[in-house]
Amino acid sequence: MTNQTVIKVGSTATGFWGKFRSVLARRTEGRAVVLFAIIATFVTVSQPLVFTAYQVTLGRIALIGLVALGLTAVILMGELDLSVASTLAVSGVIAVTVANQTNMAIGVLAALAAGVVVSLINAFFVAIVGINSFIATLGMLFALRGMAFVISDEAPVKLQNTDLGIAFGQPLLGPLTPRILIFFLIFIAIQIFVSRVKAGREFLAVGGNRQAAYDAGIPVKRRIFTGFIISGVVAAIAGIINAVERTSADPTSGSTVLLASFAAAIIGGNYLKGGKGSIIGTLIGAASLGMLQVALTISGVQIPIQEIFIGGILLIAVITDPSSLRAVWGSLSTTFQGIKNSLAK
Amino acid sequence: MTSPVIEARNIVKSFGGVRAVDDVSVSVMPGEIHAVIGENGAGKSTLMRILAGVETPDSGSVRIDGKEIENSAKASIDAGISLVHQELSLIPEMTVAENIMLGAFPTNGGWTKTKEMKKIAADTLKEIGVEVDLDERISRLSVALRQFVEIARAVARKPKVLILDEPTATLTPAETDYLLSMLQRLASQGLAIIYISHRIPEVFKICNKVTILRDGKLVTNDSIGDLTPDKVIDQMVGRELHLDLTQRRPAREFGELVLSAKGIKAPKVNGIDLEVSKGQIVGLGGLVGAGRTELLRAIIGADPRSAGRVTITSNGKKRVITGYLSAIKAGVAYVPEERRTDGLALTMTVAENIFLPNRKEVSPTGVMPKGKIAAFAKDLSEKVNLRPPEVTREAGQYSGGNQQKIVIAKWLGRKPSFIVLDEPTRGVDVGAKAEIHKLVKELADEGAAVLVISSDLPELLELSDLIHVVRDGKIAGTLTGAEATEKSVMSLAAGEKLVGA
Ligand SMILES: Nc1ncnc2c1ncn2[C@@H]1O[C@H](COP(=O)(O)OP(=O)(O)OP(=O)(O)O)[C@@H](O)[C@H]1O
Ligand SMILES: [Mg+2]
């Protein structure tokens, strides 16, 4: 055949800046990076302690970010998992209760298994029965919270092996505590999964256009199961870490984590309807929030006031979505043209 | 004698009470281009979706090389069936390469091999002769380009059977010709092709065999040599239809100026002046990507413009258009190009969809009497020949072409003073197309000003009193309806380079 080209498009960008701009336009983390930079600058100027005490800051980021990382896997597919908050509580309670009767390893395994079972039930309702994930996991959120209370007898369960708990709070590698290490390992694992492994790369397709993904032969239901398992297991890990570090599992824990996790994911540029976003974005979102929280805490700002700050940032993140900004700018400029023209008349 | 690659036997599929496919059998030989045609809602897409394993038939079987295959998307793909869907089915936030390889990422023990993926995608694009940046996201491509990416995806799978469901609906004549010759070349290499289109000339140009469906039933299965275009159309509609597509609008006097657009600049629009008068139909010709849609949207304020002044005069009142809302107030009805996404609420009923922009007309007080809405909707859907005309069904349950008719109905119901149509009959069958043409002409005769984009040259010629041909965001030439020919429009659209080609 003639190798004639009918259509030609794509980046006509040349030179370093041109390429840079076109790469930037393709990423979803843009505003997360900008927000991060703004917060970092603000913090450097007003509370440099945040960086000096980076161990504390990293710990805070890991606390907020861990559950958010798992959650992002589900959000990429356009689903929600509200049950993570209770999964965290239940798995903590199970880990400590079982560990007290046997040993820590079995306790951890039992808690992880609980995380998997919860995910399977969630995914079953969402992928097989076809219930909206908000509703299915909201039900799960309540059911598991109740279960955590039943298992713990409505009071925090003390970890008998307090040595382990204390050791767990200490730096393991350089200045890094096990929590921070686990956080980074999980980040790397999920990031590799969604960017390098076939099943993970297909998450974005399931979220972007589910029918098209199915038509292309992607096992959509299996992907949804995988996503929920990731978020459930990561939430369980977070629950275990919390319980061991505090040498006590509180059945009420996790309620603030839910909101912070969603905030981190959204600030990170993840689109709640799915099909748009990234794990790196969530990391940046969590880092921004963590830094801000530590800075505010050091400055003596009360927790409720901190939450107002987070809410504000969340709104800014959503409003400054490039497409909404473009829309606002566009209508402003058209209106302006119109006014100018009417005056000229 | 060779045996068929694909054979569908006695396929039956009902949706509720509607028999979408009623005991249809089709078989296709290697190297054959087999047309499947029929009116909107005849069951073409449903049959194809069954072959591709994405819809489950009530009964019947699909065989590849004589062996029955299981009904699942994966089984069909593995057996070598590739379907290019009627609706675009790409993932907006994934790259061109990822979309071409969707569901078939090359892997090494679960790890994707990105380099290899890009290489296969690049080779496929080269094979079909399209140049697109592999790392570009789909959401940043034009509709026509997406269509080619979609075809690349089907071809990349090295299928035995390639099914294309109205692939040319979004393409211009030049792109269509290109696609048709590409298909002929693929067929000559032994590929079996099933080709769906509402454009009869295309069918006669490349197909060897024709299957005609009417109301889900097979009415004809013949070699192309035994058929004529007229016969095909008669069999499709089941009655004799007298179409005269070569008819032009007689020269006439127009009323006062309705639209005045001066110095319009916007992305892809480089300074255009445009005027439309009462009772006049102005057509915009040109290639896909020439900036016609962008121009329309900039004029009516649906997209921002960087320069220019637009006024619309209706009911003796002259208004400056600063945004879409002011355009609506001025009596503009806009039927967008991407109807499925921009123009319809798929989970709402037909009546509700038609009612939406006509709230004031139907119920000035704000109460919404169901019966009145239904009657209003029924009247309009009959005008556009909606099939079946059940206005209480969800819009999403209608076939592609019928969805188009719903959008047309909903905008034309308001008797607008200025009508803006972007590819008004794309994917609409011949009968309905004639109805829509009639409707548009009637509205103009009653005093509406009409601005219409069409890549369908006969349509553009039939409707327009005046044709502006747009190229590279500028008006390359203007022809009166009487003097324009397909050739004169095409050569203006393509520029000097392609004249005579
Ligand atoms: N999901 C669905 N639910 C209910 N009815 C449906 C559904 N899909 C299709 N139908 C009905 O099945 C019939 C055949 O539709 P189909 O999409 O196959 O038509 P088509 O021949 O492809 O038409 P077009 O030329 O408009 O694309 C129509 O009456 C349509 O309303
Ligand atoms: Mg169809």
Side-chain angles (χ1 to χ4, degrees), chain A:
Chain A
M1 77 167 255
T2 53
N3 252 338
Q4 154 212 12
T5 300
V6 263
I7 324 181
K8 219 177 187 174
V9 298
S11 82
T12 40
T14 45
F16 175 77
W17 284 110
K19 287 228 173 68
F20 179 75
R21 247 191 318 228
S22 83
V23 166
L24 208 62
R26 286 174 192 159
R27 303 295 315 183
T28 52
E29 297 92 358
R31 69 206 149 109
V33 172
V34 172
L35 203 64
F36 180 83
I38 293 172
I39 293 178
T41 319
F42 162 74
V43 163
T44 316
V45 175
S46 65
Q47 285 296 351
L49 205 55
V50 169
F51 294 107
T52 329
Y54 64 94
Q55 214 179 331
V56 176
T57 310
L58 283 177
R60 170 55 64 152
I61 293 171
L63 181 70
I64 298 174
L66 187 52
V67 173
L69 291 177
L71 203 56
T72 306
V74 183
I75 293 178
L76 285 180
M77 282 188 283
E79 302 291 350
L80 298 175
D81 186 355
L82 302 179
S83 68
V84 284
S86 309
T87 307
L88 186 144
V90 149
S91 63
V93 171
I94 290 180
V96 172
T97 312
V98 174
N100 284 347
Q101 278 156 20
T102 54
N103 62 43
M104 199 61 226
I106 297 181
V108 167
L109 284 180
L112 290 178
V116 173
V117 171
V118 170
S119 324
L120 291 178
I121 299 174
N122 279 335
F124 173 79
F125 280 118
V126 174
I128 312 282
V129 184
I131 298 178
N132 177 292
S133 61
F134 180 87
I135 296 164
T137 58
L138 184 66
M140 198 51 137
L141 179 71
F142 281 105
L144 287 179
R145 179 69 68 198
M147 202 134 106
F149 278 109
V150 171
I151 300 176
S152 66
D153 227 356
E154 296 186 30
V157 192
K158 285 254 166 296
L159 178 66
Q160 279 157 15
N161 188 349
T162 39
D163 294 346
L164 180 75
I166 291 163
F168 202 77
Q170 299 305 313
L172 185 67
L173 190 77
L176 305 176
T177 60
R179 173 194 285 278
I180 297 170
L181 288 172
I182 293 174
F183 172 69
F184 280 111
L185 286 179
I186 288 180
F187 162 71
I188 291 168
I190 301 182
Q191 169 60 24
I192 289 178
F193 180 72
V194 299
S195 62
R196 297 265 174 273
V197 177
K198 177 165 184 275
R201 280 184 92 150
E202 290 173 351
F203 278 21
L204 212 54
V206 172
N209 185 341
R210 190 160 297 184
Q211 183 67 46
Y214 175 76
D215 292 350
I218 293 174
V220 169
K221 289 180 183 161
R222 213 184 302 159
R223 298 290 173 263
I224 293 177
F225 269 89
T226 311
F228 273 100
I229 290 176
I230 292 175
S231 92
V233 167
V234 170
I237 293 175
I240 299 169
I241 295 176
N242 278 358
V244 174
E245 217 173 55
R246 294 176 192 154
T247 67
S248 153
D250 184 351
T252 63
S253 66
S255 36
T256 52
V257 168
L258 183 63
L259 298 178
S261 306
F262 270 102
I266 294 169
I267 291 173
N270 290 288
Y271 191 48
L272 280 190
K273 283 190 196 142
K276 197 171 171 180
S278 73
I279 301 288
I280 294 182
T282 303
L283 177 72
I284 301 172
S288 314
L289 280 185
M291 260 184 347
L292 185 71
Q293 277 189 1
V294 174
L296 293 175
T297 308
I298 295 175
S299 321
V301 176
Q302 299 296 311
I303 302 278
I305 309 288
Q306 292 191 13
E307 289 185 348
I308 295 177
F309 266 89
I310 295 180
I313 298 236
L314 195 62
L315 282 181
I316 291 174
V318 177
I319 307 170
T320 54
D321 179 84
S323 52
S324 21
L325 269 188
R326 223 172 294 135
V328 170
W329 174 243
S331 48
L332 277 181
S333 77
T334 313
T335 312
F336 182 67
Q337 288 288 343
I339 295 171
K340 213 169 70 182
N341 284 330
S342 321
L343 290 181
K345 189 163 63 169

Side-chain angles (χ1 to χ4, degrees), chain B residues 158-184:
Chain B
K158 306 252 173 293
K160 288 182 191 154
V161 183
L162 175 63
I163 307 175
L164 300 110
D165 195 347
E166 295 190 36
T168 53
T170 53
L171 304 182
T172 54
E175 290 157 350
T176 302
D177 283 346
Y178 183 79
L179 177 68
L180 296 184
S181 61
M182 186 182 99
L183 293 179
Q184 280 175 317

Side-chain angles (χ1 to χ4, degrees), chain B residues 143 146 293 297 300 302-303 324 328 334-346 353 356-357 403-404 406-408 410-411 422 426:
Chain B
V143 176
R146 293 180 198 189
T293 299
R297 295 183 62 88
I300 58 169
D303 281 341
Y324 190 45
I328 301 251
Y334 169 51
V335 180
E337 181 180 23
E338 268 282 312
R339 273 171 285 254
R340 231 185 118 83
T341 50
D342 294 353
L344 268 190
L346 292 175
N353 267 293
L356 274 180
Q403 290 182 359
Q404 316 267 38
I406 301 171
V407 182
I408 302 266
K410 95 176 199 188
W411 284 113
D422 197 347
R426 172 183 293 168

Side-chain angles (χ1 to χ4, degrees), chain B residues 227-356:
Chain B
L227 292 164
T228 63
D230 283 340
K231 246 197 212 164
V232 166
I233 292 175
D234 289 349
Q235 305 231 15
M236 264 168 64
V237 297
R239 66 197 129 94
E240 272 182 48
L241 195 69
H242 295 288
L243 292 177
D244 186 5
L245 293 175
T246 54
Q247 206 185 344
R248 301 287 177 89
R249 272 165 76 75
R252 65 190 60 214
E253 292 288 309
F254 305 113
E256 63 188 75
L257 208 57
V258 174
L259 171 82
S260 152
K262 288 212 178 72
I264 304 298
K265 281 193 185 157
K268 291 178 93 178
V269 181
N270 307 320
I272 284 187
D273 297 342
L274 205 66
E275 288 182 341
V276 187
S277 304
K278 214 164 144 75
Q280 186 185 30
I281 305 181
V282 173
L284 293 176
L287 301 177
V288 166
R292 293 174 300 169
T293 299
E294 290 80 359
L295 171 64
L296 276 196
R297 295 183 62 88
I299 286 180
I300 58 169
D303 281 341
R305 51 182 117 90
S306 52
R309 170 185 164 82
V310 177
T311 59
I312 291 177
T313 313
S314 61
N315 301 327
K317 194 159 179 251
K318 185 167 175 181
R319 281 175 238 242
V320 178
I321 304 305
T322 53
Y324 190 45
L325 283 181
S326 64
I328 301 251
K329 262 199 210 123
V332 170
Y334 169 51
V335 180
E337 181 180 23
E338 268 282 312
R339 273 171 285 254
R340 231 185 118 83
T341 50
D342 294 353
L344 268 190
L346 292 175
T347 55
M348 285 166 75
T349 66
V350 174
E352 285 164 338
N353 267 293
I354 294 184
F355 171 67
L356 274 180

